[in-house]
Amino acid sequence: MSDSPSASFAGPAAPAFGGSFGAAAAGAGDSFAGAAAAGAGAGRRYGPGSYGYRRSEQARLGARYGQPVSGASHEAEHPLAAESVRQLRGAATRAEVEQPLPAYQEAREVHRLHAGTGTGRKLRADGSAFETGWSSAEQYRADQLTALRGGDVSTALQLQSLGIAFARQNAGLANTPYNRVRLAQAEDSYQHMLAHMGVGARRRAHSR
């Protein structure tokens, strides 16, 4: 878990992805989708590291750690908000852009508390708002969209990492063997996603 959200944001910069990943973000072509399909294997359209591969990624993580991964434990997290990419490309629906976009399996509670998940503000049971770094999910996506329109994928990814740092702090996951494995699976999935974008393993600022 993070020491603090501000420490996360001040940590190592997110990689300035180019090539196929940059093209997927900017809508410059279908190179990421092509790369994903090329690595997918028979019977699969999208390869490792993509949203379309999420069920296979859950199975991979469950087998590797001996602890099942499903919608009850993890949810797919987009480093680049699908809605931001939809607006960038001028697509009519998220479905037009979402499947080939990069995604990894994040712990369910963390994903639910990320600034970009859902709509509006993230509220506690008593109605008070969590500190997420943004006033609303819409504002988070707008900030990512601004970065993407400027061709700054690195900043867009730093925003997502900052949101995860806040979310992990807010989630308050108990330090149990089950949760330690869940967080290890999330980190593994994140690194696996990067590897299939052609990016080497790296330590995220919000991870210990």
Side-chain angles (χ1 to χ4, degrees), residues 20-159:
S20 59
F21 181 60
D30 295 323
S31 51
F32 183 81
R44 296 194 186 100
R45 184 176 178 186
Y46 301 106
S50 70
Y51 179 73
Y53 194 78
R54 62 195 181 280
R55 303 303 180 202
S56 295
E57 176 65 357
Q58 289 177 341
R60 182 189 74 82
L61 292 168
R64 181 169 187 179
Y65 288 85
Q67 181 166 295
V69 174
S70 69
S73 65
H74 294 75
E75 292 180 343
E77 167 68 20
H78 294 78
L80 301 178
E83 176 60 19
S84 299
V85 177
R86 182 197 71 76
Q87 293 183 48
L88 183 72
R89 292 187 177 182
T93 66
R94 279 181 45 165
E96 294 181 43
V97 302
E98 188 168 32
Q99 294 296 324
L101 284 179
Y104 71 97
Q105 294 293 307
E106 182 56 78
R108 184 176 186 272
E109 297 91 332
V110 175
H111 177 256
R112 290 294 178 94
L113 288 174
H114 189 276
T117 300
T119 60
R121 308 186 74 185
K122 303 296 180 292
L123 302 178
R124 298 182 177 89
D126 64 5
S128 62
F130 282 111
E131 176 55 63
T132 65
W134 285 267
S135 61
S136 66
E138 292 76 16
Q139 184 58 57
Y140 166 81
R141 296 185 194 116
D143 286 349
Q144 269 211 333
L145 181 59
T146 296
L148 292 174
R149 281 179 170 157
D152 192 351
V153 178
S154 180
T155 290
L157 292 173
Q158 287 185 53
L159 295 175

Side-chain angles (χ1 to χ4, degrees), residues 163-177:
I164 289 292
F166 274 109
R168 286 199 173 183
Q169 186 177 75
N170 290 330
L173 295 177
N175 186 21
T176 63

